[in-house]
Amino acid sequence: MREPVDLRRQRILAAVQARGSARVRDLAAELQVSVVTIRRDVEELTREGRLRRGHGVVRSTLPAQELPERVGGDGDTVAVVVPERHSYLYEALHGARTAFDAAGVRVALHIAPQVPGAERPQVERALADGARGVLLAPRWRSSATEEADYGWLAELDVPTVLMERRPPRGSALHAMDSVCSDHWYGAHLAVEHLVRLGHRRLVFATRDDSPTARTLRAALAEIAGAHSLVEEWAWTLSASRGGLDREPTEVTDLAAVLRKTGATAAVLHGDVDALMLVQQLAGNGVRVPEDCSVVAYDDVVAGLGTPPLTAVSPPKGEVGRVAAELLLRRIDDPGAGGARSVQRIELLPALTVRGSTRPA
């Protein structure tokens, strides 16, 4: 299915702002669309004053900042490794860049392709090039691919911070610095909003290809299962990407799940899947919000839907900024060693109420 235009342009904007400039052909390859499509998007973003065009190059319009001198002198570089085609993390990346820019630190951005274990060679290349620290958001489509990275990550000898990733307790990475959204609290916001509106039967639909999806599914099940006012709930997939290491899973028709459970509300993860599922519901005669209230999770493009979707919004940019600042502290004070406690920082999401929810 085609990616919404607004989401693609947001990804273009985030990618260019994160790097300062980018070649049109590189953007086309990264987003897996034609050069003509990218040029058309760039023309519109330029017309809006959000980008500047050159000959085959796109530049950010963000004003250059007067960068303060840092301890360690000029030439400090940090490696930032994020998955390809991941708009959610690109917002976090933009937040991280503001902190690195303010500190006068150069960012070496590495985009990991969609294959298991793709992050390791990217990190090794960055370290060979002299990176003094690593800010990392592995794709980790499954628990198995996540655990396969624990060994080499635990052995890195430069400051490393995980961004929007929280290894489980007792794992080899439990004692690695990390900054992420509190997705349990985000699930709590969604369920409480719907329950306050009088909804007692709920359906949860999450993806199956990220640590966030796994955390969110577990949180929704725990919260709904313990809630005294939730009479019945069910879970299904919102989409299945599968990935190159496994086959996609069949996605159950959401309208059928709603009918089977008698549910009047749903929490859908993430935004693009939520928008498409709302369209599918309309095609099956289920109106939002008249027949079913919907809360989306991520809030990247949820507000662009018809109707605009009520959404839980993790603090994506803030997660990136805080993670970058933590990494900078580690780099500036290498002598602290074990004297400084490892930090596992969680930031709380917020709920934005729009037109897709109403009283039962």
Side-chain angles (χ1 to χ4, degrees):
M1 299 181 182
R2 289 186 176 181
E3 182 178 53
V5 173
D6 291 304
L7 177 57
R8 186 177 65 245
R9 289 176 180 171
Q10 187 172 13
R11 293 175 60 202
I12 292 171
L13 189 63
V16 176
Q17 288 178 345
R19 305 167 200 176
S21 65
R23 295 194 307 169
V24 170
R25 290 190 178 277
D26 291 342
L27 289 171
E30 182 179 320
L31 274 66
Q32 297 184 10
V33 296
S34 70
V35 172
V36 173
T37 297
I38 293 293
R39 285 175 177 162
R40 187 182 307 121
D41 291 338
V42 166
E43 287 177 4
E44 179 60 25
L45 291 170
T46 301
R47 187 186 65 78
E48 296 172 359
R50 304 170 77 183
L51 291 178
R52 291 185 292 113
R53 284 189 301 166
H55 184 65
V57 177
V58 188
R59 294 183 174 84
S60 172
T61 57
L62 291 180
Q65 300 182 27
E66 196 170 315
L67 304 177
E69 187 175 341
R70 296 180 60 249
V71 176
D74 295 334
D76 284 352
T77 300
V78 296
V80 179
V81 183
V82 295
E84 139 183 64
R85 295 175 63 85
H86 205 305
S87 58
Y88 179 104
L89 286 173
Y90 287 168
E91 288 197 32
L93 172 61
H94 180 54
R97 187 196 171 207
T98 60
F100 289 134
D101 283 353
V105 172
R106 177 180 175 272
V107 174
L109 179 63
H110 294 260
I111 307 295
Q114 300 185 55
V115 293
E119 288 80 12
R120 183 173 185 174
Q122 303 286 340
V123 171
E124 290 175 344
R125 186 175 303 117
L127 296 181
D129 291 339
R132 296 188 59 200
V134 177
L135 184 61
L136 179 67
R139 185 178 296 276
W140 286 347
R141 284 185 179 274
S142 66
S143 297
T145 56
E146 177 179 341
E147 292 168 6
D149 283 340
Y150 286 176
W152 68 268
L153 279 172
E155 294 174 358
L156 290 178
D157 57 1
V158 299
T160 303
V161 176
L162 292 172
M163 180 172 66
E164 276 296 21
R165 298 293 181 258
R166 177 54 49 82
R169 297 170 183 170
S171 70
L173 299 187
H174 191 151
M176 177 174 280
D177 288 319
S178 61
V179 180
C180 67
S181 302
D182 184 346
H183 295 299
W184 185 95
Y185 184 73
H188 166 77
L189 289 176
V191 172
E192 283 300 319
H193 174 65
L194 294 172
V195 169
R196 282 198 300 270
L197 291 174
H199 299 283
R200 300 293 180 260
R201 293 171 177 261
L202 312 175
V203 169
F204 306 129
T206 65
R207 296 167 60 116
D208 64 345
D209 62 349
S210 74
T212 297
R214 295 190 291 275
T215 300
L216 190 58
R217 176 183 178 181
L220 289 167
E222 175 190 338
I223 293 165
H227 205 297
S228 61
L229 296 179
V230 175
E231 297 174 0
E232 187 172 349
W233 64 274
W235 174 83
T236 186
L237 283 172
S238 57
S240 180
R241 303 296 187 264
L244 300 180
D245 56 338
R246 59 194 173 87
E247 292 297 321
T249 306
E250 183 178 351
V251 179
T252 306
D253 178 66
L254 180 59
V257 178
L258 291 170
R259 286 193 294 268
K260 181 178 179 179
T261 59
T264 59
V267 180
L268 310 178
H269 171 243
D271 279 9
V272 173
D273 297 321
L275 293 172
M276 297 175 70
L277 287 170
V278 168
Q279 294 172 10
Q280 292 175 13
L281 289 177
N284 284 283
V286 179
R287 302 167 299 168
V288 173
E290 291 84 357
D291 303 320
C292 178
S293 286
V294 167
V295 177
Y297 199 97
D298 279 354
D299 205 16
V300 178
V301 292
L304 303 177
T306 305
L309 302 184
T310 293
V312 174
S313 179
K316 300 171 279 293
E318 186 76 355
V319 165
R321 182 186 64 78
V322 173
E325 291 174 349
L326 176 56
L327 181 61
L328 290 171
R329 290 197 298 273
R330 296 300 195 216
I331 292 172
D332 278 345
D333 193 11
R340 177 176 287 171
S341 298
V342 172
Q343 297 189 41
R344 288 163 60 94
I345 301 172
E346 287 188 328
L347 305 179
L348 299 187
L351 179 74
T352 300
V353 178
R354 301 189 179 100
S356 64
T357 53
R358 62 180 291 181

